[in-house]
Amino acid sequence: MFLIPCPHCGERAQMEFSCGGEAVIVRPASAASDEAWADYLFGRANPKGWHYERWCHVHGCGEWFNLLRHTVTHAIRGPFAIRDAAPKVPQ
């Protein structure tokens, strides 16, 4: 278990949240190929390291937000609003 900083409720246990998957994905143009749409809908990164993720505080305020999480150490940068620009990945 690790702690996630909800932008509305503060730090809470990870089990209060639901992960919505990879964040900061660029939607293709409506005239894009079937392959581009398939990659957008089903292709996701699964990196070992820093990763943009979307989370919902389901057992709290119910709000969605993004954060940058290290998939090995669970270090967290953020949160940041879905409409805001993503922070740079730390070195």
Side-chain angles (χ1 to χ4, degrees):
M1 183 183 75
F2 55 94
L3 297 177
I4 295 178
C6 175
H8 307 285
C9 305
E11 270 194 347
R12 299 289 194 267
Q14 172 260 333
M15 60 190 184
E16 289 188 18
F17 297 85
S18 177
C19 184
E22 186 176 2
V24 192
I25 301 170
V26 178
R27 182 184 172 116
S30 59
S33 68
D34 289 344
E35 292 79 17
W37 276 105
D39 185 55
Y40 169 73
L41 294 171
F42 305 111
R44 294 293 179 260
N46 189 17
K48 184 175 183 179
W50 291 102
H51 185 60
Y52 294 105
E53 298 176 332
R54 181 161 291 155
W55 289 82
C56 181
H57 194 179
V58 293
H59 296 290
C61 62
E63 295 292 323
W64 285 91
F65 59 92
N66 292 339
L67 55 83
L68 181 60
R69 183 177 68 88
H70 195 281
T71 58
V72 176
T73 65
H74 298 298
I76 293 177
R77 302 290 171 106
F80 60 99
I82 292 171
R83 66 185 171 277
D84 292 345
K88 297 213 183 278
V89 174
Q91 298 298 327

